[in-house]
Amino acid sequence: MLIPFDIWSPIFRAPFSGDVTQEITPRFLPPDIKGSPAIEEKVVREVASYGKQLGKVLEALQALAAATGTDLPEIDALVAEVETVKADAKEALRAEAKAALARLKAVDEDAWREVRGG
């Protein structure tokens, strides 16, 4: 005897109804990267992030442009935008820290004093 659920059971998988093992490895790079993903990941983890690498290239371009008297307005605009994002992120972090300190002071003033160093 078939019950209605039997029709759907081959395509419906309830939680934990199948293989529940899964490799959870943080990946910094997409799986379709050209070259060697292992080398790229090692560079990003141990040497410098893509942002740091790109920052060095942009600094070199700006220095070269200044030395040769060449205007690079798109590069200058890009650098300015990056600096704005960094400044905004720092300000947001400061605001979060101030809010966390205010919450700590309200709940545990002794711990607040300890964290403040006094």
Side-chain angles (χ1 to χ4, degrees):
M1 174 174 143
L2 283 175
I3 57 174
F5 187 72
D6 289 338
I7 295 169
W8 296 102
S9 63
I11 58 173
F12 176 77
R13 294 186 64 123
F16 302 114
S17 65
D19 184 7
V20 294
T21 61
Q22 176 182 357
E23 179 184 353
I24 301 176
T25 305
R27 297 202 65 173
F28 298 104
L29 306 169
D32 59 343
I33 191 167
K34 303 292 183 213
S36 171
I39 293 171
E40 293 291 333
E41 192 164 334
K42 188 172 178 79
V43 169
V44 169
R45 285 180 186 243
E46 297 178 16
V47 180
S49 69
Y50 287 129
K52 180 70 83 174
Q53 294 175 51
L54 182 57
K56 294 296 182 185
V57 171
L58 292 173
E59 285 175 16
L61 277 173
Q62 286 185 311
L64 184 59
T68 60
T70 305
D71 288 332
L72 296 175
E74 291 177 358
I75 298 299
D76 294 337
L78 177 61
V79 170
E81 287 180 49
V82 168
E83 291 304 318
T84 298
V85 169
K86 286 180 178 181
D88 290 347
K90 287 178 184 179
E91 185 56 40
L93 185 58
R94 277 189 207 101
E96 289 174 26
K98 287 178 181 178
L101 284 171
R103 288 191 308 273
L104 181 61
K105 184 178 182 182
V107 174
D108 186 348
E109 196 163 335
D110 290 337
W112 173 78
R113 281 194 191 95
E114 182 181 328
V115 170
R116 296 265 325 223

